[in-house]
Amino acid sequence: MSKKYVYMFKDGTSIKDENERRNTLGGKGKNLCEMTDMGIPVPNGFIVTTEACTLYNSSGKVMSDDIKKQIDECIAQLEGSSGKKFGDPSNPLLVSVRSGARASMPGMMDTVLNLGINDTVADALAKKAGDVFAYDSYRRFIMMFADVVIGVSKHDFEHALDKYKEDKGYKGDTDMTGADWKAIVDIFKDIYRKDQGKDFTTDAKEQLYGAITAVFQSWDNERAFVYRRMNDIPYDWGTAVNVQEMVFGNMGETSGTGVVFTRNPASGENAIYGEYLMNAQGEDVVAGVRTPKPFGELAKDSPDCHKKFLEIAAKLEKHYQYVQDMEFTIEDNTLYILQTRNGKCTAQAALQFAIDLEKEGIITKEKAIQQVDPRALDQLLHPMFDAAALKAGKVLGKALPASPGAAAGKVYFDAKDAVAAKERGERVVLVRLETSPDDILGMEVSQGILTARGGNTSHAAVVARGMGTCCISGCEEIKFGKGEFTLGGETVKEGDYISLDGSTGVIYLGDIKTVPAEIAGNFGTFMSWVEGVKGKMAVRANADSPRDATKALEFGATGIGLCRTEHMFFDADRIPKMRKMILSDTEADRRAALDELLPFQKADFIGIYEVMKDLPVTIRLLDPPLHEFMPTKEEDFASLGKDMGKSAADVKARAESLHELNPMMGHRGCRLAVSYPEIAQMQTRAIIEAALEVKKSKGYDIKPEIMIPLVGDLKETRFVKEIIEKKAKELVDAAGVKLDYQIGTMIEIPRACLIADDIASEAEFFSFGTNDLTQMTYGLSRDDAGRILNDYIENNIYEGDPTARLDQTGVGSLMKIAIEKGRKARANLKIGICGEHGGEPSSIGFCHKVGLNYVSCSPFRVPIARLSAAQAALAGEKFD
Amino acid sequence: MSKKYVYMFKDGTSIKDENERRNTLGGKGKNLCEMTDMGIPVPNGFIVTTEACTLYNSSGKVMSDDIKKQIDECIAQLEGSSGKKFGDPSNPLLVSVRSGARASMPGMMDTVLNLGINDTVADALAKKAGDVFAYDSYRRFIMMFADVVIGVSKHDFEHALDKYKEDKGYKGDTDMTGADWKAIVDIFKDIYRKDQGKDFTTDAKEQLYGAITAVFQSWDNERAFVYRRMNDIPYDWGTAVNVQEMVFGNMGETSGTGVVFTRNPASGENAIYGEYLMNAQGEDVVAGVRTPKPFGELAKDSPDCHKKFLEIAAKLEKHYQYVQDMEFTIEDNTLYILQTRNGKCTAQAALQFAIDLEKEGIITKEKAIQQVDPRALDQLLHPMFDAAALKAGKVLGKALPASPGAAAGKVYFDAKDAVAAKERGERVVLVRLETSPDDILGMEVSQGILTARGGNTSHAAVVARGMGTCCISGCEEIKFGKGEFTLGGETVKEGDYISLDGSTGVIYLGDIKTVPAEIAGNFGTFMSWVEGVKGKMAVRANADSPRDATKALEFGATGIGLCRTEHMFFDADRIPKMRKMILSDTEADRRAALDELLPFQKADFIGIYEVMKDLPVTIRLLDPPLHEFMPTKEEDFASLGKDMGKSAADVKARAESLHELNPMMGHRGCRLAVSYPEIAQMQTRAIIEAALEVKKSKGYDIKPEIMIPLVGDLKETRFVKEIIEKKAKELVDAAGVKLDYQIGTMIEIPRACLIADDIASEAEFFSFGTNDLTQMTYGLSRDDAGRILNDYIENNIYEGDPTARLDQTGVGSLMKIAIEKGRKARANLKIGICGEHGGEPSSIGFCHKVGLNYVSCSPFRVPIARLSAAQAALAGEKFD
């Protein structure tokens, strides 16, 4: 028996596994089958599976005879049940042909309605239901088919229709008579003949095969491509095709069509929300030619159908345990449901739904938790544009939405200018070619950040997300001039207002009003449910300052998983000392400079401990290559030289000698501690002394976790651990106070995973640094990936940036090796993740599966991570 | 029962496994035990194990009571067998205390002789064997013990002795009477007292413990450190200590001592080779105070001992199946063997020994193959300095021996000048800060290359090894001036002669005579044995030109494992076209430039195929980041701009835009083929057209293997493979000739190993690029590793450059994953290695174990690789 590529709606539920059913039939098809099963009035039809699409696209765009045969059989069944016949003028069967992928991709692919019509069928329909209906339907079909299946421009048809109405002096379609529509049919057929050099096909089967393959091919079109990329939908899923008997909302005033949400998808309010039109086909509701009526009025226009719809809506909400987005058609007072799907909605609405549906007993709390997309929470935590104000905004351009939220402010091109403007009370948007650690202060005072270079993991993006600041990156169209930039044809000068939407990547001219984030009561309720899920990973935050730590606690973090000590050295009063330390010629000079840095570093830790109280704080020793701290401006070399009693040229030469060919794989991380043990000693001293002081002054049970970055060798780990241990012991002994601390490692280079048993023999905890681990595993530097990724995405090699989510196949298998080896060497090894992936839902799911103890992410992603961790725990999957 | 840390000589062979025996007792100790077992006259004694040393050094430099007790027991046994007593003046037991690590480390650690002596013992000895003997022995002991164990400077003692002799008007030690020596003993004791503030110890046990722990500590001394580093001996091996009853070669004219090789270690001649002195202790032979006699004269001085020695020597050669390096002492006409070990010798001698010992039936061919150190073959394949001429050479400095051989020539600082000088008939040494691909032509014409920057895997080092050209790299002491450099206090101007020893890294002033490599008859014979070993991996060569390929065949390569196409673009007539291609604004321009490059590339392949005939040739598509082809000089930008109709500034800006932050992980390898499929197409065309032509013109069965670099993803592999396949099929179809070709991949990024099953579903062969794989696995850029490695080696974290040999633990485990997954997906997958490790013996051993089909290395390392592969096959180990 050959493989089944085509299913009648009534047969779809023979695929028992729901996921398999969706994968095979597409989301729309699955629901049509289920509604059919439930006895809901659905026009009969069949589904050509996603596999048929994949097969078609991978075998030279040819549909196999086997599949055609299966389609023919289903058409025969359709004819049997309806009593109509395909292409038969006496009682013609008309069908719609629609796409339907696994995930809903609204409007992204093509649809053909009224298929099966031709001259004789149209004449027969005219006799049955009037000329207007028949020839309007016919001309619609010609246009859609020619456009979608054959590729004749829709514009030519629309233009001809407009001209016809103009010539006749008609105001709109409603003025058109049956004869007018018949004339239009002829005009359309002429257009087709001119374009194609042959007549419009009258063979219904040929039309059908053509429409089905056109839907298959629409999977390859530009819109679909962009949508998939935006929504992480893999190319190889393919789309199913739904072939359904036509029902007509345009058969007069007892017919109509509508689109309805069972609840309000914007506010979340429990009230039917939607619109309909009498005597219209589906597209008319959306097209805006006539103004649709609010759904409530249907109670007057068609009370029976209104009542019946409400019953069905309630039934479907209960069945799908979620708010439904439905399409219906009334044909001569008979209600048909054309499709239903879970409603897309705002984050606010999603929470409202969750809470209401639970209250109504439709879902459990667990189900509610599983239904909310963690990424949606992000919307709630950042300012948004005022919807009305946004409409007036002029779009300058679009680039990567690197850190969410909305921001408006005056443009400044330099971090110092930004700081000065902020001090004058201005709102600031920092615009830079790219940012560097030098810009940190300027970034901190900005409402939003816009860069011309760099991807989602560039410095600007990473730091902005950490700060919860809106950021758009990689806007390559920006051209910089002196004190200005041009974009989208406009020149924006320093001090001009622009507005950024970090959630969409759109850049607007002018000062668009924003509304602040509102963490409403529902948020709190929902997160308390999340908190109650058993067996979920802990969620910590990456936080480098008391301010970050406070934010982290507010969002429910239960510790700090990564405190990066390097960011602490960029303050204006610290960086010169840091530079002096780095450029010291002798260990003695270096120690002297470190002594100056110690009080600052210690104060940082005291501040963080005081916020975090008894919660764990993981502090990473200095990690970046030292050249990152070096100035780039001549004046800075000069002032530094003056301070050090050297010439500017000497200082510059020394700074340049720190240059590395591949700094990511250079002198950084624990390698710095090996070369300059005094740095690790100073940091240990700051960590331990601060802990002792806060323990003494506040009575908190401070247990610092000291983390060594970039280890890849047993002896190396031991060497650095011994530096820390010796200094820590000395301080604790001298204080005469008991202080527990742990020493652990980042796991961020491939070799560390491969020898994790060795490393775990020394390390008391692991934290995966998947940013670097991913780069090294892929051999792909994120700073240089822009051009490469573009080419890879354009060529369908990658669906998107493969490093944006944890690469479970490659990097993930290294992690599994590390976890297995690590726990073998130390059964109670605590393992977390503190890379960017620690705040990304699918990556968090993976982390749960492989048995991590915690994830750590930027404070603003903590709620997302908490929800993702809860969902992973509820899903309950674990690797063995 | 406590662990056994001390073994009597007669008990050593109770450790049955020979390796374990050596590891526990050290090499010297093992052989002493075995000789004792064989009935050879060895002074009795015992061995404190290497484990005792490791324990001592890791537990705060304290020797445990348990070990002391075991030592005491052995001393008691020694007293029992000798009838003498330790510290007993009536019949004193004197012992020597010597180090003895697993591997021989001649002169690297400390020795104490005559231990057990004190005033009363010395007086007793004087009565028994004369004053001279007794007090000479005593003063030697005081000096050695004070120097080695206590740390009093030897110089003070020597100075005092010299002064005494001068005052007395003596010419040498032989003028000293017993009374003189006695006086010296007193003087030495005074020196000791002054230095230490207490008397020289008279307690024999205290002396013994002190001497043993001093040997343990000598494992930590500077000399041992350097020696270990040079010879890749791990720190954690530790050294054993041999305590042996003293026998005295200085008891008059019937006594003596000597050092002898059983055959000539320089020439390999089968004739006893060595020296002795009558009435002397061991150190005198080496010290050069008296001129020793050739061994042959012992037949006159002590005919019985001479005869006995020859018998023992033959017996030991037979037992150890190798030439022995022996020390003996004659005490009053009785011969004692103090130690024996396999003789270190020149490469020439090693081959001669192998061939002679086999001929004499002492060893089999297999054994002969296993005995020759593959690295020694290197000496035979490169020119060497004339030994006599070398003695006169002034040493300027020493840096990394990056590529072996000796070279002398005039200094030039620029590749172009080097080429011009070569054309004038000069011998050239190219001296550069570092080399880049721009310098290739200059490197090709040079006898030797010296760089100030870069390690063993820098561009200069890698390319020089490939060319078989002598190279010293990373000579950081060089200071460049205008047309000159200074080093070791000398200023060397352009055109001055210097000489380089690439095997030792020493740089000499002047023109030192070299002698060319001589691949003597023995080499051929030996390599034919190697060839006969069954089950060994194939050895291919990395070769980019017909010249390299010819060399490779000459050295026995059976194919080309890596033909790097990028080197082909650096010729003066090609690089401008390459640059034009890279800087093209449009695909059309790029294709035009590629069309110009095609004939060159094709000619290259034709040349290589014609040399290699039916042997396989693996050609790698363009790999390096494109900026490597860019000029750096203003004049080159100008001329390029002129050629392209652009300004020099434009060209320069474009070239600079190719700059990447981490180019090693940037836009290179197959990523270039994705961005510019036309490059891969042109290269495929050159490869296939050349193959078709040579197949036709010469009738060879050419089967090109096309290799895609840097893959890390299935779709990426498929994408590039399809480009190649399509073009190749087109050409083969058009030619109407059957041509087999394969498409495979480099495996050089960690992810490729982790998803090797995916990749093998497309790739027909794998070749491990362990240079890059190692760098990414370690997260360590070889270009930036210099400073880091220094600090790691100084701190005993690494013993040497951990990337010089294949890292079997980390990189090796990735390789194992790749091999397992790859062969699972494609059972007949051919797997090789073409990184630098393909020519390194221990790495080759690993490659055999994990089941590679071949290794590929630079032509000059092919014999080394062949021998290593044969040794690995004979060792017969495989991972399961």
Side-chain angles (χ1 to χ4, degrees), chain A residues 675 716 751 791-792 807, chain B residues 675 716 751 781 791-792 807:
Chain A
S675 294
E716 172 192 61
R751 196 170 191 271
D791 291 342
Y792 272 58
D807 160 39
Chain B
S675 295
E716 171 192 62
R751 195 169 192 270
S781 152
D791 291 343
Y792 272 57
D807 160 39

Side-chain angles (χ1 to χ4, degrees), chain A residues 167-221:
Chain A
D167 290 349
K168 291 270 182 182
Y170 292 165
K171 282 184 188 155
D173 285 3
T174 43
D175 295 336
M176 295 280 283
T177 65
D180 288 330
W181 285 124
K182 200 167 179 186
I184 285 293
V185 164
D186 288 335
I187 292 169
F188 277 18
K189 287 200 284 192
D190 278 348
I191 293 174
Y192 185 92
R193 195 179 303 112
K194 263 185 211 140
D195 192 283
Q196 291 290 306
K198 59 176 181 183
D199 283 339
F200 189 80
T201 183
T202 57
D203 183 85
K205 279 284 172 64
E206 198 184 312
Q207 289 173 359
L208 182 63
Y209 299 150
I212 290 170
T213 55
V215 172
F216 287 163
Q217 286 186 41
S218 72
W219 183 251
D220 258 341
N221 77 23

Side-chain angles (χ1 to χ4, degrees), chain B residues 424-444:
Chain B
R424 291 194 300 272
E426 297 176 8
R427 277 174 294 123
V428 172
V429 170
L430 183 65
V431 181
R432 307 264 310 145
L433 184 63
E434 60 199 342
T435 65
S436 77
D438 268 347
D439 297 318
I440 293 274
L441 291 182
M443 296 170 80
E444 273 192 352

Side-chain angles (χ1 to χ4, degrees), chain A residues 235-236 434 659-668 670-672 674-676 710 712-713 715-716 719 749-752 754-755 758 772 775-784 787-788 791-792 795-799 807 809-811 813-814 817 821, chain B residues 235-236 434 659-668 670-672 674-676 710 712-713 715-716 719 749-752 754-755 758 772 775-784 787-788 791-792 795-799 807 809-811 813-814 817 821:
Chain A
Y235 175 79
D236 58 14
E434 60 199 345
H659 170 76
E660 290 177 306
L661 283 176
N662 293 285
M664 151 135 303
M665 303 159 78
H667 201 184
R668 51 173 287 231
C670 65
R671 295 164 191 167
L672 296 175
V674 171
S675 294
Y676 310 108
L710 211 78
D713 181 86
K715 284 193 196 167
E716 172 192 61
F719 184 89
I749 63 173
R751 196 170 191 271
L754 298 163
I755 63 153
D758 278 356
D772 283 7
Q775 293 183 77
M776 288 176 198
T777 304
Y778 267 93
L780 184 63
S781 151
R782 68 185 187 195
D783 294 309
D784 304 308
R787 168 70 199 276
I788 299 166
D791 291 342
Y792 272 58
N795 286 302
N796 254 329
I797 297 172
Y798 292 159
E799 307 284 345
D807 160 39
T809 320
V811 178
S813 67
L814 276 179
I817 292 170
K821 289 196 166 191
Chain B
Y235 176 77
D236 57 15
E434 60 199 342
H659 170 76
E660 292 177 306
L661 283 176
N662 292 287
M664 151 137 300
M665 301 159 78
H667 202 186
R668 51 173 287 232
C670 64
R671 296 162 191 169
L672 296 175
V674 171
S675 295
Y676 310 108
L710 212 79
D713 181 87
K715 285 193 194 165
E716 171 192 62
F719 184 88
I749 64 174
R751 195 169 192 270
L754 298 164
I755 61 153
D758 278 357
D772 283 8
Q775 293 182 74
M776 290 175 196
T777 304
Y778 267 93
L780 184 61
S781 152
R782 69 187 186 192
D783 294 309
D784 304 308
R787 168 69 198 277
I788 299 166
D791 291 343
Y792 272 57
N795 286 303
N796 254 328
I797 296 172
Y798 292 158
E799 307 284 344
D807 160 39
T809 320
V811 177
S813 68
L814 277 178
I817 291 170
K821 290 197 166 192

Side-chain angles (χ1 to χ4, degrees), chain A residues 360-619:
Chain A
E360 294 160 28
I362 293 175
I363 56 173
T364 59
K365 289 190 178 71
E366 285 71 25
K367 180 80 188 168
I369 289 169
Q370 284 168 301
Q371 279 176 347
V372 175
D373 181 348
R375 284 168 298 186
L377 295 186
D378 217 22
Q379 283 183 36
L380 300 177
L381 304 173
H382 296 280
M384 284 175 290
F385 283 126
D386 177 88
L390 189 59
K391 282 185 186 158
K394 175 171 167 47
V395 173
L396 290 179
K398 189 165 182 304
L400 294 174
S403 178
K410 289 187 180 177
V411 166
Y412 287 95
F413 298 105
D414 185 282
K416 280 187 187 160
D417 297 339
V419 172
K422 172 76 175 186
E423 281 166 4
R424 291 194 299 271
E426 297 175 10
R427 278 174 292 121
V428 172
V429 171
L430 184 65
V431 181
R432 305 265 310 147
L433 184 64
E434 60 199 345
T435 65
S436 76
D438 267 347
D439 297 318
I440 293 276
L441 292 181
M443 296 171 80
E444 272 192 353
V445 300
S446 298
Q447 307 296 116
I449 296 154
L450 171 61
T451 68
R453 274 205 209 144
N456 252 315
T457 48
S458 63
H459 178 267
V462 172
V463 173
R465 282 198 291 276
M467 292 174 171
T469 300
C470 157
C471 174
I472 298 178
S473 69
C475 185
E476 296 185 358
E477 290 71 31
I478 288 184
K479 299 276 170 268
F480 286 98
K482 201 175 154 53
E484 60 181 42
F485 72 86
T486 57
L487 179 63
E490 299 278 345
T491 297
V492 180
K493 293 193 188 309
E494 184 177 284
D496 290 351
Y497 276 102
I498 64 170
S499 301
L500 308 179
D501 186 338
S503 307
T504 61
V506 177
I507 304 142
Y508 301 90
L509 189 64
D511 185 13
I512 301 176
K513 193 181 160 198
T514 59
V515 289
E518 238 183 315
I519 303 184
N522 283 342
F523 182 84
T525 307
F526 183 74
M527 291 312 288
S528 76
W529 296 356
V530 165
E531 210 38 51
V533 174
K534 298 263 177 280
K536 67 185 193 325
M537 291 179 293
V539 176
R540 298 192 185 184
N542 299 349
D544 310 336
S545 66
R547 194 186 74 164
D548 289 353
T550 306
K551 203 49 136 175
L553 285 186
E554 193 181 309
F555 287 141
T558 56
I560 290 178
L562 176 63
C563 172
R564 283 162 294 224
T565 52
E566 51 267 25
H567 290 174
M568 301 175 168
F569 296 121
F570 282 103
D571 278 6
D573 47 351
R574 303 178 181 194
I575 187 89
K577 295 178 176 57
M578 187 67 183
R579 290 171 177 167
K580 228 164 87 181
M581 189 277 287
I582 293 168
L583 299 177
S584 294
D585 289 325
T586 65
E587 190 187 315
D589 286 353
R590 203 155 39 240
R591 285 192 181 276
L594 284 166
D595 284 346
E596 293 185 57
L597 285 167
L598 175 68
F600 291 107
Q601 182 102 83
K602 192 170 149 185
D604 293 328
F605 297 141
I606 288 176
I608 290 173
Y609 292 146
E610 286 183 350
V611 171
M612 296 305 290
K613 298 181 177 143
D614 293 339
L615 295 174
V617 176
T618 306
I619 299 170

